[in-house]
Amino acid sequence: MEQSDQGDGFVVRVRGLPWSATRDDVVNFFSAVSVMGGPQGVHFTFTRDGRPSGEAFIEFATVDDLEAALRKHNGNMGRRYVEVFRSKKTEMDWVLQKSGQIGAKVDAVVRLRGLPYGCGKEDIEQFFSGLQIATNGITLTSDMEGRSSGEAFVEFTSAEEADKALGRHRQAMAHRSVGRVGPPEGTTLY
């Protein structure tokens, strides 16, 4: 089977991913298979409120890679079993376009959750010391009453810097473990 003229590509859709899964985790799940573009070939989907849906589309370079990926159906990632389904590039593009993920430049953004009360931009800069945060790249969120929600979005100068930031998952900030979900594809920062 060759790639069709309609550009269907070699794509699978996975369901059942742990919510904390990163692009690298997905690439490692398909370790014996060549994911096209490495981590950049993994496209997570998110709920309307920006939370991970547990699903993703993964692009492969060849039909052999696609067939090998399909054999990972019901394989385990941590304690979760992951379902793997054949998909098409047109379906992937449609889903990502519908959710606002195509064309959005959010590969360099991570979402922080579980921030300590009173956390400021300086604390976040210190937490990510050694990484390059974009100018005005920290956005702290608040609830309807103006109180800190314990979440923030941090834009880095590149997707590579953001991937390095994900390595600080669950590290302590002011004696509190900070969890991250990211990159929050489809999220627009104002």
Side-chain angles (χ1 to χ4, degrees), residues 67-113:
E67 295 299 330
L70 290 169
R71 288 192 289 275
K72 297 289 286 186
H73 182 64
N74 288 335
N76 289 320
M77 181 182 285
R79 295 182 183 176
R80 309 244 350 187
Y81 73 92
V82 177
E83 298 172 285
V84 181
F85 305 97
R86 183 181 306 268
S87 187
K88 298 177 181 180
K89 185 165 180 12
T90 52
E91 176 189 10
M92 176 185 76
D93 290 344
W94 184 84
V95 169
L96 297 177
Q97 182 72 44
K98 184 176 180 204
S99 62
Q101 296 178 37
I102 291 181
K105 186 179 178 191
V106 294
D107 283 346
V109 178
V110 295
R111 178 179 174 194
L112 298 175
R113 297 177 68 186

Side-chain angles (χ1 to χ4, degrees), residues 17-22 25 44 52 169-170 180-182:
L17 294 171
W19 290 329
S20 62
T22 66
D25 293 334
F44 290 107
H169 182 62
R170 300 258 183 236
R180 250 177 332 291
V181 177

